[in-house]
Amino acid sequence: MESSFEFSNSLGSVSSLLTRCRTFKVLVIGDSAVGKTCLTHRLCAGEFPSRVEATIGVDFRERQLDIHGEKIKLQLWDTAGQERFRKSMVQHYYRNVHAVLFVYDVTCPASFCSLTAWIEEFRQNSLGQEIPRFLVGNKSDLRDPSRTDSQVSQEQATSFAKAHGMMCFETSAKNPPNKCGSGRRGDGEVLYQQDKVEDIVVAVGAKLKRQKKPAAANTSTNGSFKVLNKKRPEKELWTCC
Ligand SMILES: Nc1nc2c(ncn2[C@@H]2O[C@H](COP(=O)(O)OP(=O)(O)OP(=O)(O)O)[C@@H](O)[C@H]2O)c(=O)[nH]1
């Protein structure tokens, strides 16, 4: 009796091992107000939040994915863009990170220029590991074809991404396109592209799935350090799948 109980127990643990999904820590960084919180909401919950406040410290959201038959979980770390809300947290952000989304606002060239500083911070804190990085231009719904000078062009984004070895996307957390598309000027230059938000999570998931031996995700959610959170309850950790 006892041995069959032990046997079924061990079968249970084998099957739970087989069905357990790998968790990957994905850092979302960029200037304040580029839309990191809204984007992570959209990526995880499929909706635009009705109300947002500046992130204090970090917020977490999770998204489970099925990539070619393997379940994986992306743990998105929505970090504070404002220096005063992130100072003491920076080292925690980068601990055991598996991927980074660098976010800028396509209608705010200053947020694009800041990417160099964000990349430098990443470089200084990530101990030189080969971590997949993605560039995301947000707020594409605000693009005004008559004011291209005050916006970040697709060409700029593409060449920046290429120079830094990143995949590059342009989307809108508020009004995401249903299908991919692009806009061209008379001379054929691509001014913008439209990526579905889902394409971004799938690209991140697919890249991470291919990683042979991911490090364990950061233990932040089991209280390894204090997370300074916003006051509003909907910003707390939740899982959508
Ligand atoms: N039109 C438009 N507005 C957006 C979009 N994404 C975010 N916003 C708005 O941009 C503002 C800032 O959004 P947040 O998501 O709080 O920005 P954040 O980068 O998380 O800012 P911090 O927490 O300070 O780092 C809010 O007013 C949002 O409603 C978008 O895709 N389109």
Side-chain angles (χ1 to χ4, degrees):
M1 258 322 257
E2 198 176 289
S3 59
S4 85
F5 175 71
E6 279 170 7
F7 179 66
S8 69
N9 249 0
S10 59
L11 273 184
S13 36
V14 168
S15 93
S16 80
L17 265 180
L18 290 174
T19 52
R20 204 170 57 189
C21 67
R22 291 189 286 164
T23 299
F24 296 95
K25 173 180 171 181
V26 180
L27 204 56
V28 183
I29 54 181
D31 274 7
S32 180
V34 295
K36 298 180 296 297
T37 298
C38 295
L39 196 61
T40 55
H41 248 276
R42 175 65 77 182
L43 293 170
C44 293
E47 61 184 25
F48 190 73
S50 51
R51 197 168 64 89
V52 279
E53 292 167 25
T55 304
I56 298 170
V58 65
D59 283 327
F60 307 95
R61 292 179 193 89
E62 291 189 344
R63 169 72 195 268
Q64 193 166 306
L65 287 173
D66 189 317
I67 304 281
H68 309 308
E70 182 188 344
K71 283 200 176 6
I72 65 165
K73 200 185 274 178
L74 301 184
Q75 185 184 80
L76 288 136
W77 283 48
D78 168 23
T79 66
Q82 287 187 48
E83 179 58 25
R84 63 192 169 124
F85 293 147
R86 66 195 316 279
K87 283 200 280 242
S88 55
M89 302 288 293
V90 174
Q91 283 168 346
H92 297 298
Y93 290 163
Y94 288 96
R95 226 173 79 209
N96 293 332
V97 69
H98 295 109
V100 181
L101 301 189
F102 290 97
V103 185
Y104 67 96
D105 173 348
V106 299
T107 67
C108 176
S111 71
F112 184 74
C113 293
S114 297
L115 290 171
T116 312
W118 291 114
I119 289 172
E120 179 54 23
E121 183 190 90
F122 163 80
R123 200 189 59 73
Q124 283 177 8
N125 287 279
S126 64
L127 308 170
Q129 299 161 47
E130 274 302 309
I131 292 166
R133 290 161 301 157
F134 301 81
L135 182 64
V136 182
N138 188 36
K139 306 197 186 180
S140 66
D141 57 295
L142 296 181
R143 271 207 181 278
D144 179 351
S146 64
R147 301 193 57 210
T148 53
D149 289 350
S150 58
Q151 298 169 9
V152 182
S153 76
Q154 186 60 43
E155 202 176 28
Q156 283 173 288
T158 311
S159 62
F160 184 88
K162 202 171 163 192
H164 291 90
M166 304 184 202
M167 276 180 84
C168 139
F169 297 92
E170 182 168 320
T171 197
S172 161
K174 186 171 191 175
N175 193 9
N178 292 324
K179 56 183 172 73
C180 300
S182 61
R184 286 174 187 276
R185 217 166 46 188
D187 60 8
E189 186 197 330
V190 179
L191 294 174
Y192 66 90
Q193 73 182 54
Q194 289 277 297
D195 291 298
K196 291 190 289 177
V197 165
E198 197 57 18
D199 291 344
I200 303 172
V201 265
V202 170
V204 175
K207 182 90 179 170
L208 290 172
K209 180 186 181 305
R210 286 198 294 273
Q211 291 209 325
K212 288 204 180 71
K213 200 177 167 220
N218 192 295
T219 50
S220 58
T221 49
N222 63 17
S224 66
F225 64 90
K226 189 172 184 298
V227 171
L228 303 169
N229 214 339
K230 290 185 183 180
K231 299 120 262 172
R232 62 186 191 282
E234 73 265 26
K235 296 281 288 186
E236 284 164 9
L237 172 66
W238 53 275
T239 307
C240 58
C241 301

